[in-house]
Amino acid sequence: MKKALWARIGVSFNVSDEEYETLAQAEGNNKKIEKILETFLSEGKAVIDGDCYFPDGFHPFGSGEYEFELFPLKASSFKKPGELKDWRVYIKSCFTRDAQAYLGSFPEKGDIFDETEEENWKDVCGSVVVAEFNHISLEDVKRRIKKMYPGAEEEIFIFEERS
């Protein structure tokens, strides 16, 4: 069963003087204002950068408001559901080294990092998955990866759409 969460997300719109005036002239006409804001969202003119919180009673964290932060990112998550994808991000194999995986059975006593388990650690090669994202645009995936791996060139990553 899926559960719905309700949150208030602070958004800024980066618009031209002309677009600002168009919105100002729509005062009192909610349908027109909604259409203008919908256009701003679909054109990527919104940035999530304000106060974000779950109102009391709309989250699983006890009582009261629950505040959280979303680093500034374009609000492409407001796009139509068909435009958002699930992504897996890899670092290309030519940019990895010294990677190992535990390939033995789990020990009854101790843990996999115990010296007695050393022979079960094997070198692995190939591209390495570094992140997975759900229901997000490629632009926002790249923005998040840049934040996770500052200084890394985009060319070292593989951005794979999952189906």
Side-chain angles (χ1 to χ4, degrees):
M1 171 186 259
K2 291 187 177 185
K3 301 227 182 253
L5 293 172
W6 185 69
R8 292 184 181 247
I9 311 265
V11 175
S12 295
F13 294 97
N14 297 312
V15 298
S16 67
D17 290 339
E18 182 180 309
E19 291 166 325
Y20 185 90
E21 267 313 304
T22 301
L23 183 62
Q25 291 170 6
E27 182 180 6
N29 185 341
N30 285 349
K31 289 284 186 204
K32 189 169 186 178
I33 291 171
E34 289 171 11
K35 186 71 174 160
I36 292 168
L37 294 178
E38 187 178 295
T39 300
F40 291 168
L41 289 170
S42 69
E43 291 177 354
K45 294 180 179 179
V47 178
I48 298 173
D49 62 357
D51 294 337
C52 300
Y53 64 94
F54 292 111
D56 187 22
F58 292 95
H59 59 79
F61 311 119
S63 62
E65 285 184 0
Y66 183 86
E67 294 185 22
F68 58 94
E69 288 188 34
L70 295 173
F71 51 85
L73 63 124
K74 280 194 169 184
S76 60
S77 55
F78 290 111
K79 292 182 178 176
K80 295 175 184 165
E83 297 174 0
L84 304 175
K85 311 286 183 197
D86 294 337
W87 298 92
R88 183 171 288 132
V89 183
Y90 301 84
I91 293 181
K92 293 178 183 175
S93 61
C94 59
F95 295 104
T96 61
R97 70 175 188 190
D98 300 331
Q100 289 192 320
Y102 183 82
L103 302 176
S105 51
F106 292 108
E108 290 182 28
K109 295 181 181 176
D111 65 45
I112 63 173
F113 298 103
D114 189 87
E115 283 181 20
T116 60
E117 297 300 315
E118 189 63 34
E119 74 275 0
N120 291 316
W121 285 94
K122 307 293 182 193
D123 290 340
V124 294
C125 59
S127 299
V128 177
V129 175
V130 293
E132 290 187 348
F133 300 100
N134 296 313
H135 207 66
I136 188 171
S137 71
L138 178 57
E139 183 180 301
D140 281 342
V141 167
K142 290 180 178 181
R143 190 175 290 109
R144 289 182 183 192
I145 289 295
K146 190 174 193 115
K147 201 145 187 82
M148 290 169 66
Y149 299 99
E153 297 290 329
E154 186 176 309
E155 291 73 27
I156 74 166
F157 299 103
I158 299 169
F159 299 91
E160 176 185 89
E161 182 182 331
R162 294 183 291 146
S163 48

